[in-house]
Amino acid sequence: MEQPEGSPLLQSRRPENNSNVNIINNSNVNSSSASEWWQTRSRDVVALLTVLLLLGVGLGIWVYGTLPTSDQDEHPHEYALSTDRIREHLTQFLEIAEKHNNSRSVTNGHAASAEYVISHLQAHGNCDVHVQHFLSPIWKVNKTPRLRVTGRSANVDYIYETDFEIMRYGGQGATIKGASVAVVDNGGCTVENARDVSGKVAIVRSTTEKKTKCTLFEAAFLLEQMGARAVVFVRSNKFKTPSWARVRNTDWKGGDPLMTVPVLSVTSSVGQLLESAASDITLDVETDTSIEVVKTFNVICVGRTGDAANTIVIGSHLDSVAAGPGINDNGSGSASTLEIQLTLARIGFKPHNRLVFAWWGAEEDGLLGSRHFARVLAHGWKNKWTESEPVGVTWSDIALDLNFDMLASPNYISLVHNGTDAPDSTRVGSQQIQRVFEDYFVRHDYPYKITDMVAGSDFVPFIDNGVPAGGVLTGASEIKSIDERKNHGGLTRAPLDTCYHRDCDTLLNINIVALHRMSRAAMYAVSKLSTMPNLRGYLAGQSQF
C-alpha cells in the first residue's frame, strides 16, 4: 500500500537536497534525530515480525484445515474436505440455473447439473458412474385459478391462496360453469359415498376419524371415476389456510394414473358455507394447469474398493424446485456429496466397506428418484430402461443410507435425524447412525439438535424397505424459537431459510459456517462408518465404534 504524504516512515528515508550530506555521519545530526531514526527502524522490525507471525498462523490454519494427516484425534478425513471447493461447485450450479430459467428443476437445469457432476466424477473420482432413468410427472399452474359461487342472495368470488387452493397434481385445466354441488361424507373413500356426484362438483367434507381408509388421491380418483366434474376437499378447522398437498400416488411410477379433473382445497369456513347452501348454489371452476410426464434420471457412483456386502449409500437430491435455483436446497447437499467423493479419491482413501454415492432426481416432485432406486433394487420392478442400465448394486448389499439435504441454511440449526422415528425393522440401525453424527458435534463442542426422520427427504424409501438411515441438515421454513437462538445463535422468530423454495435461494443464501460444519459432519460419518470392520454388528447394536 502506498504510504501518504507526511508519513514519518517516508520522512526518515528522505535526505535533504545536498550531495555532501551523509545521513549516518552528518555532524549536524543530533542525538534526538538518531533516537527518532532508531525508533522508526524498530517499528519497521516489529511490523515485519507481526506480518511474518500472521502469515505463519494463517499457513498453520490452512495446513490444519486441508492436510489429511493433520487431525490429532485420528479422524483426518474431515479435515481434508475443502469448503472452498464445495462453494466452487455451488457457483457452477448457480450459473447452470441462470441459463435455465433460474432453476435446476427436472425440466430446467437438472440435466446440466448432472452432466457437471458426472464430468467431475469421471475426471477425478474413484467410482464407476451409472445413470438410472425413470419417469416423472411434472405439474404446473399456468394461470391463476378461479372459484365462484352463485346463489339466490349473493355471488362470491373466493380468493386464491387464501380461501381456496388448487392442489398439486390436481388435474388438467378445465372451465366449469354453473355446476351443481354434491356433498360427500367420510372422506369420499367408498362408492356408497360417491353415488350422487356425476356431472357435479364434489365437496368432500373434512373428517376427524382416524380410521379413514383412503388417501386424498384414492378419494379424488374414485370421485372422478364416478363422474364428478371437479373435487373440492374441505380442510380441517385446525388449519387456517387451504391445503396444497399432492393428489397423486405417493410411490408414483410410469403407468400409474393421474388426476384429470380439477382438485381444489378450501378452508373450513368456506367449506361450511358450501355445505350448508349446497342445494341452493352453483359453482364456477376455472383452472389452467398441466401435467406432463417426462424422462429424468439418477446419477449413481459405485465405489471400486471395499466390501460390497456392506455397502453404504450416500445420497443427496440434485434437482431444485421450478421456482428457484436451489443453491441451499439442495445444492449444498449435492455439492458436499460430490466433494466428499472427490476428496476421498484425491487422498487415496481405501474404505473397508464399499461406498456408493447417489444424486437423486425429482426429489422435489415427491422423492421419485430415490423411490425408483428402491423399487428396482428392493422389489425387482422393471421399466424399459432397467435391463440396459444396471447400477452394480443389489438391495441386500446395502447396509445403510446417509442422506444430506440442505446443509447451509442462513439462519441454521445443526440438526441430526432422530433414529427413533424409523420403523421397527430399521430403528436400532438408524439410532446407531445418529450416534456417529452426535459424536462429531460433541467432539467439536458444536451445538446441535435432534430432529424428526419421518418424511420429506430421500431417506424414506430406505427406512421403508428395511435399510437404516440417518443424516444431518440445517432446516427449511421452520421458525427459530428464542431458546433455539440462545443455543444456536441467529435470528429468533425467523425462518431457518427465508429463501426456501424461492428464487432468492442463491449463493447469498448460503451460510458458510453451516456449510463448513455440516459438510465435515457428513465426511466424518462417511469415513467412520466405511472403516468399521464389523459394520452390520455395529448397526445391530452389538458393538461400539
Side-chain angles (χ1 to χ4, degrees):
M1 182 178 69
E2 184 179 0
Q3 294 291 329
E5 288 294 326
S7 166
L9 188 59
L10 282 180
Q11 288 179 347
S12 68
R13 296 177 180 177
R14 185 183 298 130
E16 296 295 332
N17 187 17
N18 186 339
S19 60
N20 295 321
V21 174
N22 185 306
I23 296 297
I24 302 300
N25 297 317
N26 189 335
S27 59
N28 294 326
V29 177
N30 57 31
S31 60
S32 174
S33 299
S35 175
E36 290 177 2
W37 179 89
W38 175 250
Q39 290 175 0
T40 298
R41 292 301 184 271
S42 299
R43 285 196 295 269
D44 289 351
V45 171
V46 171
L48 178 61
L49 290 175
T50 301
V51 170
L52 291 174
L53 178 61
L54 291 173
L55 286 173
V57 172
L59 180 61
I61 293 172
W62 179 83
V63 169
Y64 182 75
T66 58
L67 288 183
T69 58
S70 63
D71 191 1
Q72 301 301 311
D73 55 11
E74 300 181 354
H75 298 93
H77 307 104
E78 66 181 86
Y79 295 89
L81 189 67
S82 168
T83 306
D84 286 343
R85 287 195 180 102
I86 297 172
R87 197 176 189 281
E88 288 172 8
H89 299 318
L90 294 177
T91 300
Q92 294 301 311
F93 286 159
L94 181 59
E95 290 183 4
I96 288 170
E98 289 171 344
K99 296 175 183 176
H100 296 84
N101 302 313
N102 195 39
S103 173
R104 296 185 306 106
S105 69
V106 166
T107 54
N108 289 295
H110 170 261
S113 299
E115 290 173 5
Y116 174 85
V117 169
I118 291 170
S119 67
H120 278 68
L121 293 174
Q122 291 176 335
H124 308 293
N126 182 22
C127 63
D128 297 317
V129 181
H130 302 267
V131 173
Q132 186 186 46
H133 284 92
F134 60 95
L135 294 177
S136 174
I138 306 300
W139 178 83
K140 62 180 180 179
V141 178
N142 302 312
K143 193 169 68 173
T144 302
R146 183 179 179 220
L147 177 63
R148 178 182 175 85
V149 61
T150 301
R152 294 179 180 176
S153 57
N155 301 327
V156 179
D157 284 293
Y158 287 112
I159 301 172
Y160 177 51
E161 297 180 330
T162 300
D163 299 320
F164 79 100
E165 180 70 81
I166 184 161
M167 301 179 77
R168 283 180 288 173
Y169 294 90
Q172 303 282 5
T175 299
I176 301 169
K177 298 287 188 180
S180 300
V181 171
V183 178
V184 178
D185 292 318
N186 298 322
C189 292
T190 65
V191 172
E192 288 74 17
N193 299 131
R195 291 192 182 280
D196 190 35
V197 300
S198 182
K200 301 177 182 179
V201 174
I203 308 295
V204 183
R205 277 182 172 147
S206 172
T207 177
T208 57
E209 296 183 17
K210 295 182 179 180
K211 60 182 180 180
T212 300
K213 300 290 184 180
C214 69
T215 65
L216 289 172
F217 172 76
E218 289 168 341
F221 191 67
L222 172 63
L223 292 167
E224 178 181 310
Q225 297 299 104
M226 297 295 290
R229 299 176 66 186
V231 178
V232 178
F233 286 99
V234 179
R235 201 172 194 195
S236 166
N237 58 13
K238 294 186 298 182
F239 304 96
K240 296 181 180 180
T241 59
S243 172
W244 199 53
R246 288 189 184 93
V247 187
R248 190 197 69 195
N249 279 338
T250 301
D251 193 15
W252 189 93
K253 58 185 180 299
D256 284 354
L258 295 162
M259 291 299 300
T260 300
V261 303
V263 183
L264 284 69
S265 169
V266 296
T267 62
S268 175
S269 57
V270 171
Q272 290 175 11
L273 291 172
L274 297 179
E275 292 170 18
S276 62
S279 59
D280 298 322
I281 60 172
T282 61
L283 289 180
D284 295 344
V285 179
E286 297 180 23
T287 62
D288 185 356
T289 59
S290 60
I291 299 178
E292 178 186 10
V293 177
V294 302
K295 184 179 178 182
T296 187
F297 57 95
N298 299 320
V299 176
I300 312 295
C301 159
V302 180
R304 296 173 183 146
T305 59
D307 184 1
N310 289 294
T311 293
I312 299 170
V313 174
I314 303 102
S316 298
H317 76 86
L318 188 55
D319 64 312
S320 75
V321 294
I327 302 305
N328 184 34
D329 184 14
N330 182 39
S332 61
S334 52
S336 296
T337 300
L338 174 60
E339 190 54 35
I340 287 171
Q341 211 292 325
L342 299 179
T343 299
L344 294 177
R346 185 172 64 253
I347 66 177
F349 178 70
K350 302 294 183 184
H352 185 276
N353 307 304
R354 182 175 65 173
L355 299 175
V356 172
F357 291 81
W359 289 265
W360 309 118
E363 188 269 359
E364 298 291 6
D365 298 304
L367 319 182
L368 295 184
S370 56
R371 291 187 191 277
H372 174 76
F373 181 82
R375 186 186 308 115
V376 170
L377 271 62
H379 303 290
W381 186 83
K382 297 184 184 300
N383 60 18
K384 60 184 178 181
W385 305 293
T386 302
E387 295 295 341
S388 62
E389 295 178 341
V391 294
V393 182
T394 66
W395 196 253
S396 60
D397 288 342
I398 302 174
L400 65 98
D401 168 67
L402 299 177
N403 187 67
F404 302 117
D405 189 353
M406 300 182 66
L407 301 186
S409 301
N411 194 28
Y412 78 101
I413 296 175
S414 296
L415 301 170
V416 177
H417 277 306
N418 188 356
T420 305
D421 291 334
D424 291 343
S425 62
T426 60
R427 183 169 299 142
V428 173
S430 298
Q431 290 171 327
Q432 293 291 85
I433 297 167
Q434 174 188 333
R435 291 189 180 100
V436 173
F437 285 112
E438 289 187 271
D439 181 63
Y440 166 83
F441 289 103
V442 170
R443 282 195 311 108
H444 289 284
D445 196 26
Y446 293 154
Y448 71 96
K449 182 179 179 180
I450 303 301
T451 192
D452 61 67
M453 188 172 68
V454 293
S457 197
D458 291 301
F459 57 79
V460 171
F462 290 89
I463 61 175
D464 283 352
N465 287 280
V467 174
V472 290
L473 63 159
T474 53
S477 57
E478 307 94 317
I479 303 299
K480 181 175 284 187
S481 68
I482 294 176
D483 288 340
E484 287 171 337
R485 181 190 180 282
K486 291 177 181 177
N487 294 327
H488 304 276
L491 299 175
T492 190
R493 298 190 180 94
L496 302 185
D497 184 353
T498 54
C499 290
Y500 175 62
H501 285 186
R502 296 174 59 195
D503 60 0
C504 55
D505 188 6
T506 65
L507 284 172
L508 296 176
N509 196 45
I510 294 295
N511 188 309
I512 293 296
V513 173
L515 183 65
H516 179 82
R517 289 185 181 181
M518 304 306 277
S519 61
R520 289 193 171 191
M523 174 64 102
Y524 172 72
V526 170
S527 60
K528 187 70 178 178
L529 290 164
S530 66
T531 54
M532 284 187 179
N534 184 19
L535 179 60
R536 301 274 184 174
Y538 172 74
L539 293 174
Q542 298 169 359
S543 64
Q544 299 297 316
F545 64 84

